[in-house]
PDB file of all heavy atoms in Angstrom:
ATOM      1  N   VAL A 265      -0.377  -3.982   6.174  1.00 98.00           N
ATOM      2  CA  VAL A 265      -0.971  -2.887   6.926  1.00 98.00           C
ATOM      3  C   VAL A 265      -2.454  -2.844   6.475  1.00 98.00           C
ATOM      4  O   VAL A 265      -2.790  -2.616   5.297  1.00 98.00           O
ATOM      5  CB  VAL A 265      -0.335  -1.543   6.639  1.00 98.00           C
ATOM      6  CG1 VAL A 265      -0.883  -0.399   7.409  1.00 98.00           C
ATOM      7  CG2 VAL A 265       1.261  -1.672   6.803  1.00 98.00           C
ATOM      8  N   VAL A 266      -3.316  -3.192   7.393  1.00 96.00           N
ATOM      9  CA  VAL A 266      -4.742  -3.275   7.126  1.00 96.00           C
ATOM     10  C   VAL A 266      -5.442  -1.950   7.490  1.00 96.00           C
ATOM     11  O   VAL A 266      -4.978  -1.279   8.402  1.00 96.00           O
ATOM     12  CB  VAL A 266      -5.399  -4.493   7.739  1.00 96.00           C
ATOM     13  CG1 VAL A 266      -4.857  -5.757   7.188  1.00 96.00           C
ATOM     14  CG2 VAL A 266      -5.193  -4.440   9.306  1.00 96.00           C
ATOM     15  N   ASN A 267      -6.540  -1.593   6.769  1.00 96.00           N
ATOM     16  CA  ASN A 267      -7.265  -2.423   5.860  1.00 96.00           C
ATOM     17  C   ASN A 267      -6.726  -2.222   4.399  1.00 96.00           C
ATOM     18  O   ASN A 267      -7.052  -3.069   3.545  1.00 96.00           O
ATOM     19  CB  ASN A 267      -8.758  -1.971   5.805  1.00 96.00           C
ATOM     20  CG  ASN A 267      -9.500  -2.263   7.095  1.00 96.00           C
ATOM     21  OD1 ASN A 267      -9.132  -3.245   7.837  1.00 96.00           O
ATOM     22  ND2 ASN A 267     -10.483  -1.494   7.409  1.00 96.00           N
ATOM     23  N   GLY A 268      -6.013  -1.112   4.157  1.00 97.00           N
ATOM     24  CA  GLY A 268      -5.676  -0.724   2.746  1.00 97.00           C
ATOM     25  C   GLY A 268      -4.996  -1.787   1.959  1.00 97.00           C
ATOM     26  O   GLY A 268      -5.224  -1.952   0.746  1.00 97.00           O
ATOM     27  N   ALA A 269      -4.091  -2.603   2.608  1.00 98.00           N
ATOM     28  CA  ALA A 269      -3.248  -3.470   1.881  1.00 98.00           C
ATOM     29  C   ALA A 269      -3.876  -4.886   1.684  1.00 98.00           C
ATOM     30  O   ALA A 269      -3.251  -5.864   1.145  1.00 98.00           O
ATOM     31  CB  ALA A 269      -1.831  -3.591   2.485  1.00 98.00           C
ATOM     32  N   ASP A 323       2.235  -2.299   2.201  1.00 98.00           N
ATOM     33  CA  ASP A 323       1.166  -1.330   2.395  1.00 98.00           C
ATOM     34  C   ASP A 323       0.636  -0.975   1.010  1.00 98.00           C
ATOM     35  O   ASP A 323       1.196  -1.270  -0.048  1.00 98.00           O
ATOM     36  CB  ASP A 323       1.730  -0.028   3.125  1.00 98.00           C
ATOM     37  CG  ASP A 323       0.581   0.774   3.773  1.00 98.00           C
ATOM     38  OD1 ASP A 323      -0.544   0.415   3.651  1.00 98.00           O
ATOM     39  OD2 ASP A 323       0.945   1.791   4.375  1.00 98.00           O
ATOM     40  N   ASP A 324      -0.565  -0.303   1.023  1.00 98.00           N
ATOM     41  CA  ASP A 324      -1.160   0.046  -0.230  1.00 98.00           C
ATOM     42  C   ASP A 324      -0.455   1.190  -0.985  1.00 98.00           C
ATOM     43  O   ASP A 324      -0.216   1.130  -2.100  1.00 98.00           O
ATOM     44  CB  ASP A 324      -2.672   0.410   0.020  1.00 98.00           C
ATOM     45  CG  ASP A 324      -2.883   1.451   1.081  1.00 98.00           C
ATOM     46  OD1 ASP A 324      -1.891   1.950   1.694  1.00 98.00           O
ATOM     47  OD2 ASP A 324      -4.109   1.756   1.434  1.00 98.00           O
ATOM     48  N   ILE A 325      -0.081   2.303  -0.144  1.00 98.00           N
ATOM     49  CA  ILE A 325       0.454   3.427  -0.849  1.00 98.00           C
ATOM     50  C   ILE A 325       1.429   4.126   0.084  1.00 98.00           C
ATOM     51  O   ILE A 325       1.294   4.268   1.290  1.00 98.00           O
ATOM     52  CB  ILE A 325      -0.690   4.362  -1.264  1.00 98.00           C
ATOM     53  CG1 ILE A 325      -0.192   5.586  -2.021  1.00 98.00           C
ATOM     54  CG2 ILE A 325      -1.576   4.830  -0.148  1.00 98.00           C
ATOM     55  CD1 ILE A 325      -1.241   6.368  -2.823  1.00 98.00           C
ATOM     56  N   THR A 331       4.059   6.679   7.766  1.00 96.00           N
ATOM     57  CA  THR A 331       3.571   5.322   8.259  1.00 96.00           C
ATOM     58  C   THR A 331       4.611   4.259   8.138  1.00 96.00           C
ATOM     59  O   THR A 331       4.941   3.589   9.096  1.00 96.00           O
ATOM     60  CB  THR A 331       2.261   4.869   7.420  1.00 96.00           C
ATOM     61  OG1 THR A 331       1.273   5.876   7.552  1.00 96.00           O
ATOM     62  CG2 THR A 331       1.774   3.589   7.881  1.00 96.00           C
TER      63      THR A 331
HETATM   64 MG1  LIG B 607      -3.450   2.751   4.839  1.00 83.20          MG
END
Side-chain angles (χ1 to χ4, degrees):
V265 184
V266 294
N267 295 329
D323 204 357
D324 50 4
I325 183 165
T331 301

